[in-house]
Amino acid sequence: MPELPAPHIRTARPDDDGELALLDRLAWSHRHAVTPEPQPPYAPFFSERHTPDNCLVAELDGALAGYVHLGFPTPLDSNRHVHQIQGLAVAGEARGRGVGRALVRAAVDESRRRGARRITLRVLGHNTPARALYEGEGFVVEGVLPEEFLLDGAYVDDVFMGRFL
């Protein structure tokens, strides 16, 4: 079986907004989202909190296949040494091709490049594929908020994970 090409990772551009917003809507699921399913009129993908400079995108065969948002857990200067993954999505047709893993690795590398000492994230307890991916990339569970969210009629844990860079 021939090896599939690795995704190309780059910093997002403002003109990626529409395509990323569509990818985000198509990838929405209670498996990973704590917000209601998006409804029209749709908000722009980029915002004051999530700018193109803090978003890495994966391309496969010239098309956007996923993204990861980087940010800070708090607005405090005393917490600037910690970066946080604040969103990760992979297009359905790109799943199983290493896009998620490439994005997590790129987020770790970019955080290290920007001088961070740690990187953290939050993941829903029932999202076992994402948790396995993060664990495979060196993240460990640092805390759990039991039954923090009520999603689609079920209580779901909020799991905090992190790793040193």
Side-chain angles (χ1 to χ4, degrees):
M1 178 179 225
E3 190 171 316
L4 296 171
H8 170 70
I9 308 295
R10 64 170 173 81
T11 302
R13 298 183 295 256
D15 64 347
D16 291 325
D17 189 274
E19 199 171 350
L20 286 168
L22 177 60
L23 185 154
D24 205 43
R25 289 192 303 272
L26 294 173
W28 184 93
S29 162
H30 275 304
R31 178 174 288 223
H32 60 82
V34 296
T35 57
E37 185 171 5
Q39 300 294 320
Y42 300 115
F45 183 78
F46 295 118
S47 65
E48 188 174 297
R49 181 173 178 226
H50 291 120
T51 64
D53 290 344
N54 293 317
C55 182
L56 301 172
V57 299
E59 294 177 327
L60 274 177
D61 307 320
L64 287 181
Y67 73 83
V68 61
H69 274 297
L70 278 173
F72 296 103
T74 73
L76 302 171
D77 286 341
S78 60
N79 194 219
R80 286 292 190 221
H81 63 286
V82 180
H83 285 191
Q84 187 175 58
I85 292 176
Q86 296 181 337
L88 174 77
V90 175
E93 63 275 9
R95 293 202 177 120
R97 294 188 59 187
V99 173
R101 187 166 308 280
L103 286 165
V104 170
R105 288 178 179 173
V108 166
D109 290 345
E110 182 64 14
S111 294
R112 189 179 288 121
R113 188 187 71 74
R114 293 182 183 190
R117 293 176 42 85
R118 286 178 30 80
I119 186 168
T120 63
L121 58 87
R122 295 168 69 170
V123 61
L124 294 175
H126 65 196
N127 192 345
T128 52
R131 291 180 63 182
L133 168 64
Y134 300 136
E135 288 170 4
E137 293 302 315
F139 287 80
V140 297
V141 173
E142 297 180 339
V144 176
L145 295 174
E147 298 186 358
E148 186 70 4
F149 296 103
L150 177 61
L151 303 173
D152 202 27
Y155 291 100
V156 181
D157 296 348
D158 189 11
V159 179
F160 289 82
M161 300 181 81
R163 64 167 278 186
F164 283 94
L165 301 173

